[in-house]
Amino acid sequence: MKRELEMFVNGTFVANTTGKWIDVINPSTESVIARMPEGSVEDVQKAIDAADAAQEAWEKTPAVERGQYLRKIAAEIRIAQDELTDIIVQEGGKTQGLARVEVLFTADYLDYMAEWARRYEGEIIQSDRPNENIFLFKKAIGVTTGILPWNFPFFLVARKAAPALLTGNTIVVKPSQQTPINAYMFAQLVEKVGLPKGVFNLVNGRGSVIGHELASNPKVGMVSLTGSVSAGQQTMVSAAGNLTKVSLELGGKAPAIVMDDADLDLAVRSIIASRVINTGQVCNCAERVYVHTKVKDVFLKKLVEGMKQVKFGDPNVTHDLDMGPLIEASSLKAMEEKVAKAISQGARLLCGGHRHGDVGYFFEPTVLSDATNAMDIMQEETFGPVLPVGEFSSLEEAIALANDSEFGLTSSIFTQNLNTAFKAIRGLKFGETYINRENFEAMQGFHAGWRKSGIGGADGKHGLEEYLQTHVVYLETQG
């Protein structure tokens, strides 16, 4: 019998209340491995009500005690890492290596955020009046909600819940309908460590129903979403009625600039790693390459050779892969259409470009040359292992090409010249720039995009402060 998931509301696992189910499919085998309840607006409202009822007492709990709960969850994650890894592989198609990295990184992230318990602070501000003190307090927002994607589903639970809980907020989380099992297991660990009831809640269902209520409910003080631009726009519309704070991590179209003085072997390794990680289904993936005319031919030869060596297949069977399948059938169709359109617009197919096999959503690692910014493949986000390559003759031209995008999440440049690197830093209009390395952020940094890549951000001190609001107090004394 297929595994049947439950929601987690007010410290209790809740069976399906609607009688409707959504199948969870293994993208490597196309088999149904579980089913999750299709929740209702009433389910979400109960979860938000539980979070609201628990919030005041949770905020009064000393921050160091709140952090101790995060540490307990992290410890349980490490104990259950094998089972969690296998589940992420099964429902998301992630390679064994990357799935385990996600699990352990999640545990480390919880520990990292717990360390902020004694560190986040307010301010004392100088007053213009002789007998006055001005204090700026940092306080919890209240009830927060998190809407999760399927590409890093387990880590995103922690990325939203850890800073929220550490700072005294409560949270209601909605996992993706493609990858809900790992979030269900996270809720089991929450129950196991005895987190107070209502502090963490988990609801399942379709984004159009569940997501709208999570953003529009008047008891919600902040909604955080990681997803597509369209999902972010819908979230903003839903939140607008109550002027609810939104934090959005949306799409990306990361450019990689390869200068004529670059270490080409390093550039090829880093760009391939940044393109095929999670089968290219990562918002900060390298999505388009601009290579200097002087080294274009040598670079393309090395790039094609490297992409042809990418090992892919069913991660449930083979553990030493570079990438697995795409998440669903529609993603496979989208890759085929994007490659065909790029070719029709003048790009040249150098390798890949087709579905692999008849079972599972596998797509070959693909390289397209002669790409220009007039082509859709260089402008539209491509969530798959397809890499278009264009060229340039000057750094100024490369920066202009890179900035010619509606997105502004991540970028990279490969050069051995420090002046070139800093000129790129000054010119690139992106939330992140990686120099001579692959695209992968650190938990102590700040992951935030410009333009249509999002509002707000996550990680580090600045990500923690997304979950805080200020309270300024003017205290005037006598004499």
Side-chain angles (χ1 to χ4, degrees), residues 98 101 105 152 274 277 284 432 434 437-442:
L98 186 59
V101 166
F105 191 85
F152 279 89
S274 299
I277 182 175
N284 66 352
E432 295 173 7
Y434 299 90
R437 57 158 285 188
E438 79 288 353
N439 298 17
F440 200 88
E441 69 269 21

Side-chain angles (χ1 to χ4, degrees), residues 127-317:
S127 173
D128 295 340
R129 299 185 180 188
N131 297 320
E132 183 178 67
N133 292 283
I134 304 174
F135 303 95
L136 187 151
F137 295 92
K138 297 288 184 72
K139 295 186 176 181
I141 292 173
V143 176
T144 66
T145 59
I147 303 172
L148 310 182
W150 46 261
N151 57 347
F152 279 89
F154 193 66
F155 168 58
L156 265 295
V157 178
R159 188 179 239 178
K160 298 188 188 303
L165 301 191
L166 191 278
T167 50
N169 303 281
T170 53
I171 194 167
V172 181
V173 168
K174 187 200 91 67
S176 166
Q177 64 191 57
Q178 283 93 351
T179 55
I181 308 174
N182 67 87
Y184 172 73
M185 295 174 68
F186 189 98
Q188 290 179 315
L189 300 182
V190 165
E191 181 188 46
K192 186 174 182 179
V193 304
L195 189 71
K197 293 182 177 181
V199 171
F200 176 90
N201 304 272
L202 179 74
V203 293
N204 298 103
R206 301 189 185 278
S208 57
V209 176
I210 306 300
H212 173 71
E213 185 65 24
L214 289 174
S216 65
N217 190 291
K219 292 183 179 179
V220 172
M222 171 181 165
V223 55
S224 176
L225 173 138
T226 302
S228 66
V229 172
S230 61
Q233 291 168 333
Q234 291 166 8
T235 298
M236 290 185 74
V237 170
S238 297
N242 296 306
L243 297 179
T244 301
K245 179 179 179 179
V246 297
S247 179
L248 307 173
E249 184 198 350
L250 309 177
K253 192 67 180 177
I257 298 171
V258 182
M259 298 300 297
D260 55 346
D261 69 338
D263 179 333
L264 295 184
D265 291 328
L266 171 65
V268 167
R269 286 197 308 271
S270 300
I271 290 170
I272 290 176
S274 299
R275 177 67 280 190
V276 305
I277 182 175
N278 202 25
T279 320
Q281 301 169 120
V282 186
C283 58
N284 66 352
C285 269
E287 283 240 5
R288 51 195 168 115
V289 178
Y290 301 100
V291 59
H292 198 286
T293 301
K294 290 181 180 179
V295 295
K296 182 190 73 170
D297 292 341
V298 176
F299 173 81
L300 280 173
K301 182 180 179 182
K302 290 178 179 289
L303 182 66
V304 171
E305 289 174 353
M307 287 288 270
K308 286 181 176 179
Q309 292 172 12
V310 169
K311 189 176 181 181
F312 66 98
D314 184 350
N316 301 280
V317 177

Side-chain angles (χ1 to χ4, degrees), residues 38-107:
E38 183 176 337
S40 65
V41 171
E42 290 74 20
D43 291 321
V44 185
Q45 290 171 343
K46 289 178 181 178
I48 292 172
D49 288 346
D52 184 52
Q55 196 274 322
E56 183 176 353
W58 179 246
E59 185 176 1
K60 289 179 179 179
T61 302
V64 67
E65 292 184 26
R66 299 195 296 257
Q68 287 168 0
Y69 281 105
L70 299 186
R71 293 186 186 279
K72 290 177 183 178
I73 298 170
E76 293 296 335
I77 287 172
R78 294 187 180 99
I79 293 170
Q81 64 177 282
D82 290 343
E83 184 182 2
L84 287 163
T85 297
D86 287 343
I87 285 297
I88 292 171
V89 171
Q90 288 177 40
E91 64 181 341
K94 194 164 291 186
T95 65
Q96 287 278 341
L98 186 59
R100 190 170 297 276
V101 166
E102 180 177 353
V103 170
L104 295 179
F105 191 85
T106 300

Side-chain angles (χ1 to χ4, degrees), residues 385-459:
V386 177
L387 191 59
V389 182
E391 62 181 293
F392 65 91
S393 57
S394 70
L395 178 60
E396 291 78 11
E397 181 187 4
I399 291 173
L401 290 168
N403 288 338
D404 177 23
S405 174
E406 65 179 6
F407 298 105
L409 187 56
T410 66
S411 56
S412 63
I413 184 169
F414 296 85
T415 179
Q416 298 184 64
N417 187 304
L418 191 60
N419 289 330
T420 299
F422 269 95
K423 188 171 183 178
I425 291 169
R426 290 192 296 269
L428 288 169
K429 298 178 180 179
F430 293 83
E432 295 173 7
T433 298
Y434 299 90
I435 301 174
N436 296 327
R437 57 158 285 188
E438 79 288 353
N439 298 17
F440 200 88
E441 69 269 21
M443 66 179 71
Q444 67 270 34
F446 186 53
H447 188 58
W450 295 21
R451 300 186 292 280
K452 286 188 178 180
S453 286
I455 297 172
D459 308 335

